[in-house]
Amino acid sequence: MIRKPGRETVPPGIRLDEDPDAEFLRRYDPTAFPRPSVAVDVVLLTVRGRELHLLLVRRSKPPEAGKWALPGGFVGIDEDLDAAANRVLDEKAGVRGVFVEQFHTFGKPERDRRMRIISVAYFALVDLGRFPVVGAEGNVRSAAIRMPGKDGPCGSAEVVDEAGRSLPLAFDHAAILETAVRQVRARLRDASVGFELLPETFTLPELQQVHEAIAGEPTNKDSFRRRMVGLDVLEPTGATRQFVGRPAMLYRYVGPSESRRSTRLPGKLTSPGPERGPDPGRPIRKPPAGRIR
Amino acid sequence: MIRKPGRETVPPGIRLDEDPDAEFLRRYDPTAFPRPSVAVDVVLLTVRGRELHLLLVRRSKPPEAGKWALPGGFVGIDEDLDAAANRVLDEKAGVRGVFVEQFHTFGKPERDRRMRIISVAYFALVDLGRFPVVGAEGNVRSAAIRMPGKDGPCGSAEVVDEAGRSLPLAFDHAAILETAVRQVRARLRDASVGFELLPETFTLPELQQVHEAIAGEPTNKDSFRRRMVGLDVLEPTGATRQFVGRPAMLYRYVGPSESRRSTRLPGKLTSPGPERGPDPGRPIRKPPAGRIR
DNA sequence: AAAATAGTGTCTATGAGACACTATAGT
DNA sequence: ACTATAGTGTCTCATAGACACTATTTT
């Protein structure tokens, strides 16, 4: 911490007159060497239909003014990095209390023309319901991400508007975005990031759609269902419907419980699970929302 | 970049009088807000016998003077982050041209008592031959890492000396180390990090020992061999010997070649591979070196 | 010969992909 | 009845673990 006059920064429980470092700290001059600025940039992702979308803000000030950029901001001198990411997300997108995770720090000396800015990049995941609603023409918008899956031809991420036109991003934000998507894809394999992109209750087809949007390629239906129910982290509820067809079971994500995985029957499970009889009805009918299929 | 007088920082090909941002940049004051210091810390890892080891340097200056710490240093105002990590590795360990990778940035405001220091952490992987030789009592030493595998009881990383005594690390370097090991373990699954910890030629048992040291738990021998040869990244050579027993084939790591994986015979491969007849002998006899088993 | 390690062949359990089939809604 | 989607049962294939067995060195 910066030692300002009139502000005590020594941790509680340490008496300056006993501390062997006290004399050193009193003489230390943090301004002896030039220091870079440190910022956070946040890749806020959601899944709309079959596509991964992110939030962009239009730069109003001169360095690359007018271009679209990731929401970001400088880290306060006494502010934790994670706190800065959450603050930026709140200030620029009005989003609070969502899943955020740091994934890489970008620091090429020439990445910002103003000065040396080192940017700690985060990704944040929200379901469409908590994603900020953006007007047709404002200083904040969402855009679809086009990034080929691992099977497709190699190429970097591209951000497109509704008409499919490519949107250029400011600074090195295209590279940041690409790294973010790679990271999220890597975590998708075994972690719970898929559930962060869905509301509290969801159907298995919706969960699969999220996974496919992240991975950028289709998934086998049967294998996906088996893997998900095999994880023992889903709890059934009622049933909802989409546009057409048979209604799908609604699930809720409950973390991996300790007591559940040891008691596994070797044969096929004959118990019907959590009681579909007593609470059969209530076929919630959600508005079509982002359903595309 | 910092715009110093007498140093032209405008990228080539941009004429200031045409640039719309020129006026803004001329008036910009990078010192308007307080800025943190940015450092890099490097977790230099190697495998000695069955254990993962890291390099530590003894702090000579007052903040936690005398304690062991990760090699680290401040990032130059015009220095790339990766370059800083390599420089620190060269200056403090005399190690150059090895595999380094950034994995996390640590920035809690209270992590250094001098001032706000944000540290970009890297891990570096070398084989024992390139690991710096450290004297019995100097300002730089190596130490074994004790960190339970995913099967073992949960617990954080611990650094121990030859006698098994725990060594306390300065600042939050124990947390940095633990995150580093987790990252390397995660990459071990599908990436080539295992080969970075071995010399140019190595045997499959040696490779398995490296994997077991990283993962912190034993691996199935047969499955490991099949998986490694199935990766199609190993090229056989002569044969080396260990202390006792049958000599093991020496392999060399060659990256995943495009032309090799498509032409795969469905049946068992009958071709003896790279000609064991013409170059049968030359049983290289390496000195026992770090072999412990 | 005995000990020790390297390497192969085979059996089995598990998980993924493929496919057929049933179930439940709207039209 | 027809269509469209949700969900289940089964077959096959690929891979990992287990285990037995062979191979090649030192002592």
Side-chain angles (χ1 to χ4, degrees):
Chain A
M1 282 186 174
I2 296 289
R3 297 177 60 82
K4 309 190 194 87
R7 169 113 184 259
E8 187 51 84
T9 59
V10 174
I14 293 187
R15 295 176 54 191
L16 270 186
D17 53 349
E18 284 183 357
D19 189 346
D21 293 350
E23 178 61 22
F24 174 86
L25 290 174
R26 202 172 299 126
R27 292 168 185 269
Y28 196 88
D29 177 19
T31 67
F33 300 97
R35 284 156 298 150
S37 295
V38 177
V40 291
D41 284 312
V42 183
V43 180
L44 176 62
L45 297 173
T46 195
V47 172
R48 196 192 303 270
R50 305 178 145 183
E51 283 180 329
L52 203 55
H53 282 237
L54 88 161
L55 189 84
L56 297 174
V57 297
R58 194 194 296 274
R59 285 196 58 81
S60 57
K61 293 180 182 175
E64 316 216 25
K67 270 193 179 177
W68 294 102
L70 299 173
F74 292 108
V75 177
I77 193 63
D78 281 329
E79 185 182 37
D80 184 51
L81 296 177
D82 291 2
N86 280 288
R87 173 179 56 79
V88 161
L89 215 43
D90 189 10
E91 288 176 358
K92 305 224 173 180
V95 173
R96 320 178 60 163
V98 300
F99 179 88
V100 297
E101 187 163 314
Q102 178 196 318
F103 66 90
H104 198 77
T105 296
F106 297 82
K108 291 214 178 303
E110 69 277 9
R111 60 182 295 277
D112 192 306
R113 295 181 55 198
R114 283 172 288 182
M115 55 185 169
R116 179 72 189 276
I117 299 184
I118 289 169
S119 174
V120 184
Y122 284 75
F123 63 82
L125 307 177
V126 289
D127 65 271
L128 201 50
R130 286 180 293 175
F131 195 80
V133 282
V134 294
E137 277 303 322
N139 286 327
V140 53
R141 65 164 296 164
S142 82
I145 301 171
R146 295 278 163 76
M147 184 166 160
K150 69 180 194 324
D151 283 357
C154 279
S156 56
E158 195 185 7
V159 176
V160 298
D161 64 6
E162 300 79 9
R165 286 182 299 257
S166 182
L167 293 175
L169 298 190
F171 307 118
D172 57 352
H173 288 190
I176 295 178
L177 169 63
E178 184 178 340
T179 307
V181 175
R182 279 193 213 287
Q183 283 285 334
V184 176
R185 283 180 179 175
R187 310 253 167 139
L188 189 61
R189 192 172 310 278
D190 37 28
S192 60
V193 298
F195 306 110
E196 302 291 343
L197 288 158
L198 286 167
E200 194 190 343
T201 61
F202 51 87
T203 67
L204 280 182
E206 286 169 346
L207 181 60
Q208 180 170 1
Q209 220 174 26
V210 163
H211 277 243
E212 289 176 341
I214 295 176
E217 57 194 8
T219 312
N220 180 275
K221 185 186 74 166
D222 314 279
S223 171
F224 181 80
R225 297 184 72 89
R226 257 177 317 192
R227 187 152 42 94
M228 285 304 140
V229 302
L231 288 179
D232 251 4
V233 295
L234 295 182
E235 187 181 79
T237 330
T240 187
R241 278 224 49 243
Q242 307 299 346
F243 268 110
V244 286
R246 171 178 170 178
M249 174 72 78
L250 269 176
Y251 289 89
R252 185 192 321 277
Y253 174 72
V254 297
S257 55
E258 290 300 326
S259 60
R260 199 175 306 196
R261 72 184 63 185
S262 55
T263 53
R264 185 75 66 80
L265 294 175
K268 62 185 69 176
L269 47 103
T270 52
S271 71
E275 298 283 343
R276 249 179 109 184
D279 185 6
R282 197 159 69 92
I284 303 165
R285 193 170 304 199
K286 285 201 303 188
R291 183 75 175 189
I292 287 182
R293 212 178 232 171
Chain B
M1 281 185 173
I2 296 291
R3 298 178 58 83
K4 308 190 196 86
R7 171 116 186 257
E8 187 51 83
T9 60
V10 174
I14 292 186
R15 294 177 55 194
L16 271 185
D17 52 350
E18 283 183 359
D19 190 345
D21 294 350
E23 178 61 20
F24 174 87
L25 291 174
R26 204 173 297 125
R27 292 167 184 270
Y28 196 87
D29 177 18
T31 67
F33 300 96
R35 286 155 295 148
S37 296
V38 176
V40 291
D41 285 311
V42 183
V43 180
L44 176 62
L45 297 173
T46 194
V47 172
R48 197 191 304 268
R50 304 177 147 185
E51 283 180 329
L52 204 54
H53 282 238
L54 90 160
L55 189 84
L56 297 174
V57 296
R58 194 195 295 275
R59 286 196 59 80
S60 57
K61 293 179 183 175
E64 315 218 25
K67 272 193 178 177
W68 293 102
L70 298 173
F74 291 107
V75 176
I77 192 62
D78 280 329
E79 184 182 38
D80 184 50
L81 295 177
D82 291 3
N86 279 287
R87 172 179 57 78
V88 161
L89 216 43
D90 189 10
E91 288 175 0
K92 304 225 174 180
V95 173
R96 319 177 60 161
V98 301
F99 179 88
V100 297
E101 188 162 314
Q102 178 196 319
F103 66 91
H104 197 77
T105 296
F106 296 81
K108 291 214 177 304
E110 68 277 10
R111 59 182 296 278
D112 193 306
R113 295 180 54 197
R114 283 171 288 181
M115 55 184 169
R116 179 73 188 276
I117 299 184
I118 290 169
S119 175
V120 184
Y122 283 76
F123 63 80
L125 307 176
V126 289
D127 66 270
L128 201 50
R130 285 180 294 175
F131 196 79
V133 281
V134 293
E137 277 305 320
N139 286 327
V140 52
R141 65 164 294 164
S142 84
I145 301 171
R146 294 278 164 76
M147 184 165 160
K150 70 179 192 324
D151 283 357
C154 279
S156 57
E158 194 185 7
V159 177
V160 297
D161 64 6
E162 301 79 9
R165 286 181 297 257
S166 182
L167 293 174
L169 298 190
F171 307 118
D172 57 351
H173 288 190
I176 296 178
L177 169 63
E178 185 178 339
T179 307
V181 175
R182 279 193 212 288
Q183 282 284 334
V184 177
R185 283 180 179 176
R187 311 255 165 138
L188 189 60
R189 192 173 311 278
D190 37 28
S192 61
V193 299
F195 307 110
E196 302 290 343
L197 288 158
L198 287 167
E200 195 189 343
T201 62
F202 50 87
T203 67
L204 281 182
E206 286 168 346
L207 181 61
Q208 181 170 0
Q209 219 175 27
V210 163
H211 278 243
E212 289 176 341
I214 294 176
E217 56 193 9
T219 312
N220 180 277
K221 185 185 74 166
D222 315 278
S223 170
F224 181 80
R225 298 183 73 88
R226 256 177 318 194
R227 187 154 41 94
M228 286 305 141
V229 302
L231 289 178
D232 252 5
V233 295
L234 295 182
E235 187 181 78
T237 329
T240 187
R241 278 221 48 245
Q242 307 299 346
F243 270 109
V244 287
R246 171 176 170 178
M249 174 71 79
L250 269 177
Y251 290 90
R252 183 192 322 275
Y253 175 72
V254 297
S257 55
E258 290 300 327
S259 59
R260 198 175 306 195
R261 71 186 60 185
S262 54
T263 52
R264 184 74 66 79
L265 294 176
K268 61 184 69 175
L269 47 103
T270 52
S271 72
E275 297 282 342
R276 251 180 107 183
D279 185 6
R282 196 157 72 90
I284 303 166
R285 192 170 305 199
K286 286 200 305 187
R291 183 75 174 187
I292 287 183
R293 208 178 236 173

